[in-house]
Amino acid sequence: METETVELKEITGAAASVSEAMNTRHSIRRFDPRPVEQAKLDALFTTSLRAPSWKNSQPWQVHVVTGEKRSRLATLLTEAAIAGNLKPDIAWPAVYPADAKRRMFDLGMKIYGVAGIDRKDKAARDQFMVDNFKFFDAPVAVFITSNFEMNYYVGIDIGCYLQSVMLLAREHGLGTCPQAALSAAPEVVRAELGLAEEQKVLVGLSLGYPLAEPELNRFHTPREALADKVKFYS
Ligand SMILES: Cc1cc2nc3c(=O)[nH]c(=O)nc-3n(C[C@H](O)[C@H](O)[C@H](O)COP(=O)(O)O)c2cc1C
């Protein structure tokens, strides 16, 4: 994997095929605040429910938040983040193999560069972290919760669901950022959305139209080579 170069790729318009959606999707972290048409949200989230799951158990509950409610949640989550009141329902992983650490370090090195942040500028780095909780200005905040006892297969199911939403968003000309950060203050999300304690907040997603100008939105993260990750047997 090349670590020195930063690939920039503009995402424009709608993807016409799954391959195009896969090849052109990347995380968007600077959104146009203009609302997404309700008809688009209806179509996207209706189709998203076709995602597969273990024995068709469909462990997800999906909360699509816009308008006043979204603004309130942005404020409350930001306050929680600044106060350090972050405790996800499902603990974030603490240990990674060495090759993953290398990729994560590489991401960190590059993302501050394309975001125009000096790595030594702690205030700017903190602000970038806090931007997560404002949904990067996206007009739509999505939270995925579940009342299932957590296990490995629920995780796989939620992953299938999340990627389905992100690819469908590309078909509708929309950008996304999947965010563990949005699972970090679950009490706030439950209180604001009126959810039962048993609904664990697993992950969130910012959704909306990408802004074209910021270099950060053109940041296309690298992937390992096919030969290093996929082996064909016959
Ligand atoms: C489960 C999950 C959680 C993530 N959490 C965050 C997050 O909290 N904040 C963020 O900016 N990006 C987050 N990301 C985005 C990843 O950093 C991103 O997917 C990865 O670097 C690959 O880049 P790409 O999405 O642009 O292809 C998350 C991605 C996934 C799949």
mmCIF file of all heavy atoms in Angstrom, residues 25-29 92 107 111 128 132 136 162 166 177-182 203 219-221 223, ligand 1:
data_model
loop_
_atom_site.group_PDB
_atom_site.id
_atom_site.type_symbol
_atom_site.label_atom_id
_atom_site.label_comp_id
_atom_site.label_asym_id
_atom_site.label_seq_id
_atom_site.Cartn_x
_atom_site.Cartn_y
_atom_site.Cartn_z
ATOM 1 N N ARG A 25 -17.473 5.735 -3.990
ATOM 2 C CA ARG A 25 -17.841 6.128 -2.626
ATOM 3 C C ARG A 25 -16.596 6.372 -1.793
ATOM 4 O O ARG A 25 -15.629 5.621 -1.873
ATOM 5 C CB ARG A 25 -18.677 5.014 -1.954
ATOM 6 C CG ARG A 25 -19.174 5.417 -0.541
ATOM 7 C CD ARG A 25 -19.215 4.246 0.415
ATOM 8 N NE ARG A 25 -17.919 3.656 0.606
ATOM 9 C CZ ARG A 25 -16.985 4.135 1.441
ATOM 10 N NH1 ARG A 25 -17.233 5.183 2.198
ATOM 11 N NH2 ARG A 25 -15.791 3.559 1.522
ATOM 12 N N HIS A 26 -16.578 7.407 -1.082
ATOM 13 C CA HIS A 26 -15.661 7.536 0.039
ATOM 14 C C HIS A 26 -16.333 8.426 1.064
ATOM 15 O O HIS A 26 -17.372 9.031 0.789
ATOM 16 C CB HIS A 26 -14.268 8.035 -0.387
ATOM 17 C CG HIS A 26 -14.226 9.327 -1.131
ATOM 18 N ND1 HIS A 26 -13.446 9.536 -2.248
ATOM 19 C CD2 HIS A 26 -14.877 10.504 -0.921
ATOM 20 C CE1 HIS A 26 -13.592 10.776 -2.664
ATOM 21 N NE2 HIS A 26 -14.456 11.380 -1.885
ATOM 22 N N SER A 27 -15.766 8.475 2.237
ATOM 23 C CA SER A 27 -16.428 9.222 3.309
ATOM 24 C C SER A 27 -16.412 10.714 3.005
ATOM 25 O O SER A 27 -15.398 11.266 2.578
ATOM 26 C CB SER A 27 -15.737 8.937 4.641
ATOM 27 O OG SER A 27 -15.931 7.586 4.984
ATOM 28 N N ILE A 28 -17.555 11.329 3.237
ATOM 29 C CA ILE A 28 -17.730 12.775 3.025
ATOM 30 C C ILE A 28 -17.773 13.439 4.405
ATOM 31 O O ILE A 28 -18.506 12.988 5.295
ATOM 32 C CB ILE A 28 -19.050 13.017 2.252
ATOM 33 C CG1 ILE A 28 -18.940 12.465 0.820
ATOM 34 C CG2 ILE A 28 -19.444 14.501 2.250
ATOM 35 C CD1 ILE A 28 -17.857 13.109 -0.036
ATOM 36 N N ARG A 29 -16.958 14.473 4.571
ATOM 37 C CA ARG A 29 -16.925 15.134 5.887
ATOM 38 C C ARG A 29 -17.150 16.647 5.792
ATOM 39 O O ARG A 29 -16.888 17.379 6.730
ATOM 40 C CB ARG A 29 -15.602 14.808 6.598
ATOM 41 C CG ARG A 29 -15.466 13.312 6.921
ATOM 42 C CD ARG A 29 -14.209 12.993 7.710
ATOM 43 N NE ARG A 29 -14.073 11.573 8.002
ATOM 44 C CZ ARG A 29 -13.522 10.674 7.185
ATOM 45 N NH1 ARG A 29 -13.056 11.050 6.011
ATOM 46 N NH2 ARG A 29 -13.439 9.398 7.530
ATOM 47 N N TRP A 92 -15.433 0.329 22.226
ATOM 48 C CA TRP A 92 -14.649 0.388 20.992
ATOM 49 C C TRP A 92 -13.425 -0.506 21.132
ATOM 50 O O TRP A 92 -12.886 -0.648 22.239
ATOM 51 C CB TRP A 92 -14.223 1.838 20.708
ATOM 52 C CG TRP A 92 -15.365 2.734 20.323
ATOM 53 C CD1 TRP A 92 -16.669 2.357 20.156
ATOM 54 C CD2 TRP A 92 -15.310 4.136 20.065
ATOM 55 N NE1 TRP A 92 -17.429 3.451 19.803
ATOM 56 C CE2 TRP A 92 -16.618 4.550 19.743
ATOM 57 C CE3 TRP A 92 -14.286 5.076 20.075
ATOM 58 C CZ2 TRP A 92 -16.930 5.870 19.429
ATOM 59 C CZ3 TRP A 92 -14.583 6.402 19.765
ATOM 60 C CH2 TRP A 92 -15.893 6.788 19.443
ATOM 61 N N LEU A 107 -3.903 6.726 7.661
ATOM 62 C CA LEU A 107 -5.132 7.521 7.525
ATOM 63 C C LEU A 107 -5.000 8.826 8.314
ATOM 64 O O LEU A 107 -5.287 9.910 7.801
ATOM 65 C CB LEU A 107 -6.348 6.718 8.029
ATOM 66 C CG LEU A 107 -7.660 7.508 8.074
ATOM 67 C CD1 LEU A 107 -8.198 7.745 6.670
ATOM 68 C CD2 LEU A 107 -8.708 6.796 8.927
ATOM 69 N N ILE A 111 -5.314 12.459 6.612
ATOM 70 C CA ILE A 111 -6.604 13.158 6.716
ATOM 71 C C ILE A 111 -6.416 14.585 7.240
ATOM 72 O O ILE A 111 -7.099 15.509 6.790
ATOM 73 C CB ILE A 111 -7.604 12.338 7.544
ATOM 74 C CG1 ILE A 111 -9.026 12.710 7.138
ATOM 75 C CG2 ILE A 111 -7.413 12.484 9.035
ATOM 76 C CD1 ILE A 111 -10.068 11.701 7.554
ATOM 77 N N PHE A 128 -11.906 19.213 14.668
ATOM 78 C CA PHE A 128 -12.191 18.212 13.633
ATOM 79 C C PHE A 128 -12.915 17.014 14.254
ATOM 80 O O PHE A 128 -13.868 16.466 13.680
ATOM 81 C CB PHE A 128 -10.874 17.769 12.976
ATOM 82 C CG PHE A 128 -11.055 16.898 11.762
ATOM 83 C CD1 PHE A 128 -11.815 17.318 10.690
ATOM 84 C CD2 PHE A 128 -10.456 15.655 11.695
ATOM 85 C CE1 PHE A 128 -11.979 16.516 9.564
ATOM 86 C CE2 PHE A 128 -10.609 14.847 10.576
ATOM 87 C CZ PHE A 128 -11.375 15.281 9.512
ATOM 88 N N ASN A 132 -17.552 15.685 14.044
ATOM 89 C CA ASN A 132 -18.281 14.413 13.971
ATOM 90 C C ASN A 132 -19.681 14.539 14.580
ATOM 91 O O ASN A 132 -20.653 14.001 14.049
ATOM 92 C CB ASN A 132 -17.549 13.336 14.786
ATOM 93 C CG ASN A 132 -16.551 12.542 13.982
ATOM 94 O OD1 ASN A 132 -16.925 11.629 13.252
ATOM 95 N ND2 ASN A 132 -15.272 12.893 14.113
ATOM 96 N N PHE A 136 -20.968 16.763 10.583
ATOM 97 C CA PHE A 136 -20.230 17.450 9.512
ATOM 98 C C PHE A 136 -21.165 18.352 8.702
ATOM 99 O O PHE A 136 -21.031 18.478 7.484
ATOM 100 C CB PHE A 136 -19.537 16.434 8.597
ATOM 101 C CG PHE A 136 -18.555 15.531 9.305
ATOM 102 C CD1 PHE A 136 -18.799 14.167 9.428
ATOM 103 C CD2 PHE A 136 -17.394 16.051 9.861
ATOM 104 C CE1 PHE A 136 -17.893 13.338 10.085
ATOM 105 C CE2 PHE A 136 -16.486 15.217 10.524
ATOM 106 C CZ PHE A 136 -16.742 13.857 10.619
ATOM 107 N N LEU A 162 -25.254 -1.115 6.760
ATOM 108 C CA LEU A 162 -24.585 0.189 6.645
ATOM 109 C C LEU A 162 -24.032 0.397 5.233
ATOM 110 O O LEU A 162 -24.215 1.455 4.623
ATOM 111 C CB LEU A 162 -23.453 0.227 7.678
ATOM 112 C CG LEU A 162 -22.793 1.543 8.011
ATOM 113 C CD1 LEU A 162 -23.794 2.521 8.592
ATOM 114 C CD2 LEU A 162 -21.654 1.318 9.006
ATOM 115 N N MET A 166 -24.920 3.177 2.246
ATOM 116 C CA MET A 166 -23.902 4.046 1.632
ATOM 117 C C MET A 166 -23.875 3.908 0.113
ATOM 118 O O MET A 166 -23.712 4.902 -0.598
ATOM 119 C CB MET A 166 -22.533 3.747 2.248
ATOM 120 C CG MET A 166 -22.485 4.163 3.719
ATOM 121 S SD MET A 166 -20.839 4.161 4.444
ATOM 122 C CE MET A 166 -20.548 2.429 4.694
ATOM 123 N N CYS A 177 -20.991 9.609 5.664
ATOM 124 C CA CYS A 177 -19.842 9.254 6.501
ATOM 125 C C CYS A 177 -20.338 8.329 7.593
ATOM 126 O O CYS A 177 -21.150 8.750 8.440
ATOM 127 C CB CYS A 177 -19.172 10.481 7.112
ATOM 128 S SG CYS A 177 -17.632 10.035 7.974
ATOM 129 N N PRO A 178 -19.884 7.067 7.580
ATOM 130 C CA PRO A 178 -20.245 6.173 8.684
ATOM 131 C C PRO A 178 -19.467 6.616 9.910
ATOM 132 O O PRO A 178 -18.303 6.983 9.790
ATOM 133 C CB PRO A 178 -19.759 4.798 8.193
ATOM 134 C CG PRO A 178 -18.620 5.105 7.274
ATOM 135 C CD PRO A 178 -18.923 6.449 6.647
ATOM 136 N N GLN A 179 -20.084 6.605 11.089
ATOM 137 C CA GLN A 179 -19.396 7.171 12.256
ATOM 138 C C GLN A 179 -19.622 6.359 13.532
ATOM 139 O O GLN A 179 -20.737 6.331 14.076
ATOM 140 C CB GLN A 179 -19.871 8.609 12.488
ATOM 141 C CG GLN A 179 -19.364 9.592 11.452
ATOM 142 C CD GLN A 179 -20.157 10.879 11.512
ATOM 143 O OE1 GLN A 179 -21.100 11.080 10.751
ATOM 144 N NE2 GLN A 179 -19.792 11.736 12.431
ATOM 145 N N ALA A 180 -18.541 5.766 14.008
ATOM 146 C CA ALA A 180 -18.574 5.188 15.358
ATOM 147 C C ALA A 180 -18.799 6.315 16.369
ATOM 148 O O ALA A 180 -19.432 6.103 17.408
ATOM 149 C CB ALA A 180 -17.268 4.466 15.641
ATOM 150 N N ALA A 181 -18.289 7.504 16.052
ATOM 151 C CA ALA A 181 -18.424 8.644 16.979
ATOM 152 C C ALA A 181 -19.882 8.850 17.393
ATOM 153 O O ALA A 181 -20.168 9.222 18.533
ATOM 154 C CB ALA A 181 -17.879 9.913 16.332
ATOM 155 N N LEU A 182 -20.803 8.575 16.472
ATOM 156 C CA LEU A 182 -22.212 8.834 16.774
ATOM 157 C C LEU A 182 -22.818 7.781 17.703
ATOM 158 O O LEU A 182 -23.978 7.893 18.106
ATOM 159 C CB LEU A 182 -23.022 8.955 15.474
ATOM 160 C CG LEU A 182 -22.585 10.133 14.581
ATOM 161 C CD1 LEU A 182 -23.450 10.199 13.328
ATOM 162 C CD2 LEU A 182 -22.629 11.457 15.346
ATOM 163 N N VAL A 203 -24.109 2.422 15.682
ATOM 164 C CA VAL A 203 -23.307 3.236 14.759
ATOM 165 C C VAL A 203 -24.198 4.337 14.196
ATOM 166 O O VAL A 203 -25.443 4.234 14.270
ATOM 167 C CB VAL A 203 -22.713 2.341 13.634
ATOM 168 C CG1 VAL A 203 -23.762 1.837 12.677
ATOM 169 C CG2 VAL A 203 -21.566 3.018 12.883
ATOM 170 N N PHE A 219 -10.823 13.242 -0.755
ATOM 171 C CA PHE A 219 -9.829 12.323 -0.193
ATOM 172 C C PHE A 219 -10.280 10.874 -0.415
ATOM 173 O O PHE A 219 -11.277 10.429 0.148
ATOM 174 C CB PHE A 219 -9.660 12.622 1.297
ATOM 175 C CG PHE A 219 -8.739 11.689 2.026
ATOM 176 C CD1 PHE A 219 -7.582 11.210 1.432
ATOM 177 C CD2 PHE A 219 -9.024 11.316 3.331
ATOM 178 C CE1 PHE A 219 -6.726 10.352 2.125
ATOM 179 C CE2 PHE A 219 -8.178 10.461 4.024
ATOM 180 C CZ PHE A 219 -7.036 9.976 3.420
ATOM 181 N N HIS A 220 -9.542 10.167 -1.254
ATOM 182 C CA HIS A 220 -9.900 8.786 -1.614
ATOM 183 C C HIS A 220 -8.866 7.868 -0.960
ATOM 184 O O HIS A 220 -7.730 7.781 -1.419
ATOM 185 C CB HIS A 220 -9.900 8.653 -3.141
ATOM 186 C CG HIS A 220 -10.715 7.514 -3.641
ATOM 187 N ND1 HIS A 220 -12.089 7.458 -3.539
ATOM 188 C CD2 HIS A 220 -10.345 6.361 -4.258
ATOM 189 C CE1 HIS A 220 -12.539 6.344 -4.081
ATOM 190 N NE2 HIS A 220 -11.502 5.648 -4.507
ATOM 191 N N THR A 221 -9.273 7.225 0.119
ATOM 192 C CA THR A 221 -8.322 6.422 0.905
ATOM 193 C C THR A 221 -7.816 5.221 0.102
ATOM 194 O O THR A 221 -8.562 4.650 -0.700
ATOM 195 C CB THR A 221 -8.991 5.910 2.189
ATOM 196 O OG1 THR A 221 -10.256 5.339 1.834
ATOM 197 C CG2 THR A 221 -9.204 7.008 3.208
ATOM 198 N N ARG A 223 -6.335 1.334 -0.724
ATOM 199 C CA ARG A 223 -6.638 -0.045 -0.323
ATOM 200 C C ARG A 223 -5.442 -0.917 -0.656
ATOM 201 O O ARG A 223 -4.672 -0.607 -1.564
ATOM 202 C CB ARG A 223 -7.879 -0.573 -1.062
ATOM 203 C CG ARG A 223 -9.174 0.165 -0.741
ATOM 204 C CD ARG A 223 -9.622 -0.041 0.705
ATOM 205 N NE ARG A 223 -10.948 0.541 0.931
ATOM 206 C CZ ARG A 223 -11.170 1.784 1.364
ATOM 207 N NH1 ARG A 223 -10.146 2.583 1.619
ATOM 208 N NH2 ARG A 223 -12.403 2.217 1.540
HETATM 209 C C1 LIG B 1 -17.797 1.264 11.477
HETATM 210 C C2 LIG B 1 -17.120 2.534 11.012
HETATM 211 C C3 LIG B 1 -16.934 3.590 11.895
HETATM 212 C C4 LIG B 1 -16.366 4.788 11.463
HETATM 213 N N1 LIG B 1 -16.284 5.851 12.327
HETATM 214 C C5 LIG B 1 -15.869 7.058 11.887
HETATM 215 C C6 LIG B 1 -15.956 8.204 12.723
HETATM 216 O O1 LIG B 1 -16.401 8.147 13.868
HETATM 217 N N2 LIG B 1 -15.558 9.407 12.202
HETATM 218 C C7 LIG B 1 -15.087 9.524 10.922
HETATM 219 O O2 LIG B 1 -14.767 10.634 10.495
HETATM 220 N N3 LIG B 1 -14.996 8.444 10.095
HETATM 221 C C8 LIG B 1 -15.393 7.222 10.545
HETATM 222 N N4 LIG B 1 -15.374 6.130 9.712
HETATM 223 C C9 LIG B 1 -14.893 6.280 8.332
HETATM 224 C C10 LIG B 1 -13.555 5.573 8.103
HETATM 225 O O3 LIG B 1 -12.507 6.350 8.616
HETATM 226 C C11 LIG B 1 -13.413 5.343 6.593
HETATM 227 O O4 LIG B 1 -14.445 4.511 6.133
HETATM 228 C C12 LIG B 1 -12.071 4.716 6.225
HETATM 229 O O5 LIG B 1 -11.007 5.565 6.538
HETATM 230 C C13 LIG B 1 -12.032 4.398 4.723
HETATM 231 O O6 LIG B 1 -12.222 5.599 3.990
HETATM 232 P P1 LIG B 1 -13.442 5.835 2.982
HETATM 233 O O7 LIG B 1 -14.718 5.612 3.740
HETATM 234 O O8 LIG B 1 -13.285 7.267 2.567
HETATM 235 O O9 LIG B 1 -13.297 4.852 1.873
HETATM 236 C C14 LIG B 1 -15.915 4.916 10.129
HETATM 237 C C15 LIG B 1 -16.083 3.844 9.240
HETATM 238 C C16 LIG B 1 -16.702 2.684 9.663
HETATM 239 C C17 LIG B 1 -16.940 1.569 8.670
#
